[in-house]
Amino acid sequence: MLRAKIIATGSYLPEHIVTNRDLEKIVDTTDDWITERTGIKERRIANDCQAASDLAYEASLSALKKAQLKPKDIDLIIVATISGDMPFPSTACLLQAKLGAKQAAAFDLGAACSGFIYGLHVANGLIRSGMHQRVLVVGTEVLSRFTDWDDRSTCILFGDGAGAAILEATREKRGIMSTHIYSDGNLADLIMLPGGGSRSCCSRESILKKLHHIKMKGNETFKVAVRTLEELASTTLEVNSIDPSQLSLLIPHQANLRIIQATARRLGLPMEKVFLNIEKYGNTSAASVPIALDEAAESCRLNDGDYVLLEAFGGGLTWASALLRW
Ligand code: COA
């Protein structure tokens, strides 16, 4: 049976660090409040010259280097992002040009924080069907450009970064065991960036109304996320006939430490089996899971044969999971 397997990962974080103490000088908040409610201590912010494709480029180069592949060896590039360089061309096409990946088709995928796992889902299907052989899936975000720095309930949450994974076909009994994607557009208004599209394109009024910034109903989002992620994780394990005790690592989307703890608790999973980097980077949306996956691989937390569960939840609403056998 043909499966898709992640053969290498990479990530890139901008150098500039903004701490909770820095935010205390901008909005009415405290380090204690942010740490207690979210688990975030600091986040990375891209410099003025860096757009989503630049971060994606660095993460992709790192993955290609580890895989000992050249850009021409890739035949499809999927970029998950909600903060692409521009409405079009796609950030994936801009990345393809930067890499010189001439053999690759390229497109963007918009599923907010679930985008990377949605990308794995698509790549997995295309590889299993034999339509593509080697796919680069990237999550990249420069959400700092769309953050309302006057809104203390959202500006404390987000950060910039990128993560990448290269997938190829394998006949081994490991790789991506299953992927699961879901959405509920009825809850679109919980997290959105209302301006900049054909509904409210850029105008004096849209700028005055701050429609080009992220709007979020944090508390409601929190409750839906906790409920949904627990069900998602249980379903994914059940489909694969895996007991939570057989999981070596849960790599969750890093949105809020309390959401992650609730998911782990409901699965009966000790926190030692949960990968966390939210403290350093905050919520990097589509980049969050691949950055964490890369850091888990680099810190030797993934061993041959391990069952690893990836899960994410985000705007749309969307939610998604993938069970990997490393
Ligand atoms: N500093 C201090 N106080 C703050 C604050 C901040 N940065 N942000 C909000 N508050 C205040 C609110 O104004 C409110 O005050 P009030 O009671 O006087 O009105 C109080 O804290 C509680 O607000 P609430 O929104 O209920 O807090 P919360 O415990 O739900 O935490 C979030 C807020 C945003 C941290 C939390 O809801 C969250 O993480 N939600 C999910 C976000 C998420 O995952 N989004 C993306 C999905 S990918």
Side-chain angles (χ1 to χ4, degrees):
M1 182 186 169
L2 204 57
R3 288 182 199 280
K5 176 180 156 190
I6 295 177
I7 57 162
T9 56
S11 60
Y12 173 77
L13 280 309
E15 279 172 25
H16 182 53
I17 295 173
V18 172
T19 65
N20 292 347
R21 296 250 179 253
D22 294 328
L23 292 180
E24 286 178 358
K25 294 171 201 148
I26 303 175
V27 287
D28 180 13
T29 191
T30 60
D31 175 34
D32 283 349
W33 193 96
I34 302 172
T35 307
E36 195 183 302
R37 298 291 178 114
T38 70
I40 302 166
K41 294 295 278 183
E42 57 189 46
R43 67 288 292 144
R44 302 298 180 94
I45 302 293
N47 70 39
D48 291 346
C49 305
Q50 289 177 312
S53 68
D54 302 310
L55 275 52
Y57 174 70
E58 299 295 340
S60 303
L61 275 190
S62 163
L64 283 164
K65 196 173 163 198
K66 287 183 216 168
Q68 297 185 310
L69 291 173
K70 301 252 178 306
K72 68 169 177 45
D73 299 323
I74 301 293
D75 61 31
L76 179 66
I77 299 173
I78 302 174
V79 172
T81 187
I82 49 166
S83 52
D85 292 29
M86 54 191 81
F88 78 90
S90 68
T91 300
C93 282
L94 300 174
L95 174 63
Q96 182 220 24
K98 283 191 169 82
L99 289 170
K102 290 188 181 150
Q103 319 294 329
F107 65 87
D108 284 0
L109 188 157
C113 305
S114 313
F116 176 77
I117 302 179
Y118 263 65
L120 288 186
H121 179 81
V122 174
N124 185 36
L126 292 172
I127 288 175
R128 280 185 178 218
S129 71
M131 290 177 79
H132 284 273
Q133 276 65 52
R134 209 173 272 134
V135 184
L136 170 66
V137 183
V138 185
T140 183
E141 301 287 9
V142 185
L143 283 182
S144 58
R145 302 274 148 74
F146 304 95
T147 299
D148 180 352
W149 293 103
D150 294 329
D151 176 6
R152 67 177 182 172
S153 68
T154 54
C155 75
I156 55 154
L157 298 174
F158 301 106
D160 302 335
I166 299 171
L167 280 71
E168 69 175 25
T170 180
R171 295 211 175 265
E172 293 172 66
K173 263 192 167 173
R174 56 189 198 154
I176 298 182
M177 308 307 285
S178 71
T179 53
H180 309 263
I181 62 170
Y182 305 89
S183 25
D184 185 356
N186 289 312
L187 297 175
D189 67 334
L190 292 190
I191 328 170
M192 57 162 55
L193 200 162
S198 52
R199 175 78 49 203
S200 303
C201 65
C202 186
S203 64
R204 192 168 175 274
E205 197 190 354
S206 73
I207 292 169
L208 287 174
K209 285 186 175 166
K210 292 197 164 192
L211 297 186
H212 302 279
H213 296 292
I214 298 165
K215 314 276 178 206
M216 188 178 70
K217 295 177 183 167
N219 203 274
E220 284 173 62
T221 307
F222 186 98
K223 287 176 194 152
V224 182
V226 170
R227 199 173 58 237
T228 310
L229 287 171
E230 192 258 335
E231 203 181 307
L232 174 68
S234 302
T235 307
T236 310
L237 296 182
E238 267 167 42
V239 165
N240 289 282
S241 307
I242 300 285
D243 187 79
S245 63
Q246 291 173 265
L247 263 188
S248 298
L249 197 63
L250 169 66
I251 302 185
H253 169 45
Q254 312 280 316
N256 184 309
L257 180 60
R258 290 182 295 142
I259 296 177
I260 297 171
Q261 286 168 332
T263 310
R265 200 167 41 242
R266 288 178 188 205
L267 275 181
L269 208 63
M271 284 307 284
E272 300 83 71
K273 286 191 172 185
V274 181
F275 190 86
L276 295 174
N277 62 9
I278 187 168
E279 188 177 317
K280 295 187 288 179
Y281 308 135
N283 181 350
T284 56
S285 188
S288 144
V289 170
I291 292 171
L293 181 64
D294 185 48
E295 291 196 341
E298 287 298 301
S299 56
C300 301
R301 289 193 66 182
L302 304 176
N303 299 302
D304 281 359
D306 277 358
Y307 282 113
V308 181
L309 178 62
L310 314 181
E311 47 95 331
F313 176 91
L317 294 179
T318 57
W319 56 103
S321 64
L323 184 77
L324 314 179
R325 183 128 208 225
W326 201 251

